[in-house]
Amino acid sequence: LTNAITNSYTEYGVDGTLLFPRFIFPFLTSEYRYKTRASTELALSYSYQERPEFARKIFESRWSYKWNQRHQHTQHRIDAIDLSYIKMPWLSEDYRNNYLENSILKYNYKDQLIMHSGYGFVYNSASTNEALNNATKENSYTIRMNFESAGNLLWAASKLLKFNKNSDGRYSAFGLEYEQYLKADFDLAKRIRMDSRNVLALHFALGIGYPYGNSDMLPFSKRYFA
């Protein structure tokens, strides 16, 4: 905007994480707990952005588990619940009319509710100590895979309780339209040691996201970019 430099920009946020060095989950045997290095994480964050064009509030919370078997090269992560609440208190009419010309751009500046669960897997061919010290003398590779699903529990509740759809044909929860999608990612990184001071790094990544049901497109924070 031509007058943006004469206006103020404000952004602040706060976040906190509570980490337990064990599984906080019932029905696990003591033998399995001993063989597994695990952690349980509760994370909360809040941020506020104010610009000449808009103001945005973002609240996020996550309850997740991370674990790996002792002396193995794999690591697992489960996001039992990950919640993002995005609220746009106001949006400039000038910005809306002159810059948000298509549906994709307009979608980026809507109130949104994202509630998803997911699973992540990491395999590193180097040993744990080598990976941490970044001093492996051998060629190594890392494989990462992630899968997440959003909105299905809310959609099932909407169907079961027979909620009414809004004028856009979408269900709402807590006063916000919620997102529904599936997303999967695959990432491969290969390190080839050339000599004691140089390593060649190769990287390949592939991902796909599919919005459906209560969503026409992926939320901005879940899209891919290059």
Side-chain angles (χ1 to χ4, degrees), residues 126-206:
S127 68
T128 303
N129 291 334
E130 288 175 337
L132 290 175
N133 297 330
N134 196 27
T136 177
K137 296 181 179 179
E138 301 176 355
N139 299 336
S140 61
Y141 63 93
T142 302
I143 297 174
R144 292 182 175 87
M145 293 183 290
N146 294 283
F147 174 80
E148 65 181 68
S149 172
N152 293 315
L153 290 178
L154 293 175
W155 184 84
S158 299
K159 285 289 189 179
L160 182 65
L161 300 176
K162 298 182 179 179
F163 287 175
N164 294 322
K165 294 183 178 181
N166 59 21
S167 58
D168 295 327
R170 303 183 66 184
Y171 291 113
S172 298
F174 310 108
L176 289 180
E177 296 178 357
Y178 57 85
E179 307 301 323
Q180 190 175 8
Y181 63 86
L182 296 174
K183 186 181 179 188
D185 307 298
F186 174 81
D187 185 289
L188 172 64
K190 172 70 174 177
R191 294 170 294 277
I192 303 175
R193 181 164 293 279
M194 311 297 289
D195 54 44
S196 60
R197 297 175 60 88
N198 295 280
V199 173
L200 175 64
L202 305 176
H203 182 239
F204 172 80
L206 178 68

Side-chain angles (χ1 to χ4, degrees), residues 70-125:
R70 297 177 185 271
H71 312 301
Q72 291 191 5
H73 299 252
T74 59
Q75 184 180 83
H76 306 268
R77 179 188 181 95
I78 289 181
D79 292 326
I81 183 169
D82 192 308
L83 179 67
S84 298
Y85 181 94
I86 304 169
K87 185 73 175 177
M88 304 288 297
W90 64 268
L91 179 65
S92 165
E93 285 298 324
D94 179 66
Y95 188 69
R96 187 196 307 271
N97 296 331
N98 295 321
Y99 295 93
L100 307 184
E101 299 176 352
N102 59 60
S103 59
I104 294 179
L105 292 176
K106 290 179 181 178
Y107 194 79
N108 296 341
Y109 293 89
K110 292 182 62 176
D111 297 342
Q112 293 182 345
L113 177 65
I114 306 171
M115 189 175 78
H116 82 261
S117 299
Y119 169 74
F121 169 85
V122 178
Y123 176 84
N124 193 323
S125 65

Side-chain angles (χ1 to χ4, degrees), residues 1-56:
L1 295 176
T2 56
N3 64 341
I5 59 174
T6 64
N7 293 283
S8 62
Y9 296 76
T10 302
E11 182 173 351
Y12 60 83
V14 60
D15 62 82
T17 301
L18 189 60
L19 187 65
F20 303 91
R22 62 184 184 279
F23 271 121
I24 299 182
F25 194 82
F27 314 120
L28 295 177
T29 64
S30 57
E31 180 182 1
Y32 182 81
R33 294 177 189 271
Y34 173 77
K35 292 181 179 180
T36 305
R37 294 179 177 177
S39 63
T40 303
E41 180 182 289
L42 172 63
L44 298 171
S45 68
Y46 172 81
S47 64
Y48 177 79
Q49 305 166 355
E50 185 169 357
R51 298 172 52 90
E53 307 90 351
F54 62 84
R56 176 159 44 203

